[in-house]
Amino acid sequence: MFTQYTHKFILMAFCIIATACGATEKNLLKSTSQIAVDYRDALNDNNINTLIQLSALPVTFINQEWESAPDGYGWMLGKKFTSKFDTQTGLNKFLETFSPGIEIKGTKATLIPRAEYDRFKTELSGSESLWNNLKAYIFTRGEYDVEHITIIGVNPETHKVQVLYAN
């Protein structure tokens, strides 16, 4: 009798785990660049559920402001705000306010090779260690008087987003 219930318990546990892993398995079939594009689309659509599915805890968001240049001509990067989330509740609350405030116009996820991270030393300053084991993809967010960019860091093993930089 104990064996009969043990088998049922194992079968039920397997079904629960298989269901929970379904979204992750679909993501593993996608390239990391496609994950970055999907994340961009979810941000633009303010699709919090998809953003949550595509994120891995801990996840870090870096948002950098623009400010007037000291001479009054042009713009330069200003204050940087970093938000790190270790809990699902904190991430959910953050995404509800962050997602509506960002729109990424760039359609192509361009890989930034590790050898070229120096090109973004200002943007990645202070967060270099976060990007070390990720595939970083850049999207432009419009090019008017300042060059807005978004960089999305995807873990190549989990196919989940772990870092996002936007200015």
Side-chain angles (χ1 to χ4, degrees):
M1 185 162 133
F2 177 74
T3 307
Q4 179 183 10
Y5 289 116
T6 302
H7 287 10
K8 286 181 181 179
F9 175 77
I10 291 171
L11 180 61
M12 187 177 358
F14 175 77
C15 290
I16 291 169
I17 292 169
T19 302
C21 294
T24 302
E25 288 175 16
K26 281 188 233 174
N27 286 346
L28 289 175
L29 297 175
K30 294 181 180 182
S31 66
T32 52
S33 64
Q34 184 59 52
I35 297 297
V37 169
D38 290 351
Y39 202 85
R40 185 249 3 239
D41 291 346
L43 272 171
N44 287 346
D45 295 340
N46 197 23
N47 186 335
I48 305 300
N49 290 332
T50 300
L51 292 171
I52 290 166
Q53 284 180 336
L54 293 174
S55 299
L57 296 175
V59 62
T60 303
F61 293 87
I62 304 162
N63 195 16
Q64 188 159 24
E65 296 179 343
W66 287 94
E67 60 186 35
S68 292
D71 62 5
Y73 294 100
W75 298 91
M76 58 186 270
L77 290 171
K79 292 180 184 173
K80 192 182 290 188
F81 301 93
T82 301
S83 304
K84 182 179 177 184
F85 300 95
D86 295 315
T87 67
Q88 199 64 53
T89 304
L91 175 61
N92 296 1
K93 286 181 183 177
F94 174 79
L95 288 173
E96 288 173 9
T97 58
F98 178 75
S99 180
I102 188 168
E103 181 182 358
I104 303 170
K105 295 186 186 269
T107 57
K108 185 178 179 199
T110 304
L111 178 67
I112 304 171
R114 292 261 309 119
E116 293 183 24
Y117 278 16
D118 279 351
R119 285 183 31 215
F120 303 95
K121 63 183 171 191
T122 302
E123 291 86 352
L124 303 181
S125 172
S127 65
E128 297 89 349
S129 64
L130 295 173
W131 300 92
N132 282 342
N133 298 316
L134 303 178
K135 297 279 187 173
Y137 294 93
I138 186 169
F139 294 90
T140 57
R141 293 181 47 214
E143 297 173 25
Y144 303 104
D145 52 349
V146 294
E147 187 174 333
H148 293 285
I149 63 170
T150 299
I151 304 172
I152 297 175
V154 181
N155 184 317
E157 293 177 15
T158 64
H159 286 230
K160 298 275 189 162
V161 173
Q162 290 197 263
V163 184
L164 180 137
Y165 167 88
N167 66 27

